[in-house]
Structure formats: C-alpha cells, structure tokens
Amino acid sequence: MKRKDPNKQHVETMIGEDVIISGELKLSGGAIISGKIKGDVITSGIIRLTTTGIVEGNVIASEATIGGQIHGNVRAVSYTHLRAHETSLPRVCRL
C-alpha cells in the first residue's frame, strides 16, 4: 500500500463558476476557486484560482496557484505560481 506524503496538501473545497460568495472565506484545507469571492480568502491549505476565478480581496494560503483575477494581495507561505496568461497581476508577498 502506498503511503500518503504528510507534506502534500489536499483540496477539500471546490467553488464552481456559477457561485458568488460575498464576505470573508475561511478554510482549514485547500480550495479550487472557479467562481467569484467578494472578500478575503484565508486558509492554512492551498488555493488554486482557475482562469474563471475572481477574488476581490486578499488571499492568504500555504501555497497559491493563480490562473484567474485577484484584486488584492497574495501571501503564500511556500510559493505562489502565476499562470502566464495573467491579465491582472496581484502584489505577491512571501511570508
């Protein structure tokens, strides 16, 4: 049986393209965001923002992969990956 790497982060939450959330989003695990968040996204897990995803606020996560739009700042403990087709580049800070 294959053992899971304890350092590998998992995604527990998926937010679809048709979803709009107004307010701060706090998670304990990772998330894939394809919809729109009007508020900060805070998690100790990973964030994957797809090409259709929009965050109107700050993102704080252990890792962040940004393929959509962020109208705010990104703070990632490990790393932040910005996709090449980005049109709205956020200010990125490493903690």
Side-chain angles (χ1 to χ4, degrees), residues 34-53:
S34 297
K36 185 174 189 175
I37 311 292
K38 296 179 179 182
D40 294 342
V41 178
I42 302 167
T43 181
S44 56
I46 60 173
I47 291 293
R48 306 271 188 257
L49 187 65
T50 68
T51 56
T52 60

Side-chain angles (χ1 to χ4, degrees), residues 7-91:
N7 296 321
K8 202 170 204 180
Q9 304 258 353
H10 296 283
V11 173
E12 287 92 17
T13 303
M14 295 181 72
I15 298 170
E17 289 182 33
D18 61 337
V19 176
I20 298 173
I21 296 174
S22 293
E24 185 175 78
L25 180 64
K26 287 187 177 182
L27 306 161
S28 59
I32 296 174
I33 301 171
S34 297
K36 185 174 189 175
I37 311 292
K38 296 179 179 182
D40 294 342
V41 178
I42 302 167
T43 181
S44 56
I46 60 173
I47 291 293
R48 306 271 188 257
L49 187 65
T50 68
T51 56
T52 60
I54 300 171
V55 175
E56 293 178 353
N58 300 313
V59 173
I60 300 171
S62 64
E63 298 175 8
T65 300
I66 310 302
Q69 298 178 39
I70 294 185
H71 303 280
N73 299 317
V74 177
R75 289 188 218 159
V77 175
S78 296
Y79 74 90
T80 301
H81 176 81
L82 302 175
R83 303 272 176 161
H85 60 276
E86 257 317 287
T87 57
S88 174
L89 293 177
R91 180 175 164 205

